[in-house]
Amino acid sequence: MDEGKPVIAVTHVNRAFGDKTVLKDITLQVNQAETFGILGPSGSGKTTLVKLLTGIDEVTSGEVTVLGVRMPKLAMLQQIGYMAQSDALYTELSAKENLEFFAALYGLKGGNRTRRIGDVMELVNLQEHLRKRVDQYSGGMKRRLSLAIALLHEPPLLLLDEPTVGIDPVLRQSIWKELKALNRKGTTIVLTTHVMDEAEKCDRLAMIRDGVLLAADTPAGLLQATGTASIEEAFLCYGGVRR
């Protein structure tokens, strides 16, 4: 991929299911090594947009390119770490068996596989539960294991759908610290959230409501443009709701 080109380019994208249009003329870019947040209430189209970026779903019209490749393209899954909103885990297997299964899919072998499994489980603070069956995990532990799996193969692009839902504040802080460290190493991160304090941690933020992109800018830029004091107020302002 050429230097200076966006990691993600979404151009005039529409996605309809039958007569219901879920995304309406979305155009945005995500640059290398930034954390790009997609903020919006439940049902706003955030998850649909992420599925288009991963290639799990296909646009009705418009174009999505990721790392210079037009999506969907199956081979691109090697380049992407994806954490879905609902945990895609084999609950009858242990965490270790889940990690080994996904490591094999990503082509991780031998000592490198063992090292990466140890590293990601340490990051999400689940080292002591490595051999526990996933059906014995709490909801928050399953979220953490899903994040560990997304990070396993050190992909250049992370797509995280509501990554910290159900995770306690202390661990959430350490996960954000790690995401920022990954940015510094060149990893690009796109995440969806409806949590305002997380939105403020993003380098840039897209605000979506009812499938429409209301605005995309740095958190400071959004506050300045709306003359508001918080991201929540800015979001309400862009949505035509003033307090």
Side-chain angles (χ1 to χ4, degrees), residues 125-143:
N125 198 21
L126 286 174
Q127 314 94 301
E128 291 171 25
H129 305 282
L130 184 62
R131 295 180 190 280
K132 189 183 280 187
R133 271 174 58 132
V134 174
D135 56 13
Q136 296 171 351
Y137 271 32
S138 67
M141 288 167 78
K142 287 176 183 168
R143 292 306 284 153

Side-chain angles (χ1 to χ4, degrees), residues 2 15 22 47 52 55 65 72 101 113 115 117 135 158 202-203 209 226 228 239 241:
D2 298 344
R15 182 65 177 106
V22 178
T47 294
L52 296 176
T65 63
F101 170 77
R113 179 192 300 191
R115 179 183 63 80
I117 287 174
D135 56 13
L158 279 176
C202 297
D203 298 309
R209 174 178 275 146
T226 54
T228 53
V241 184

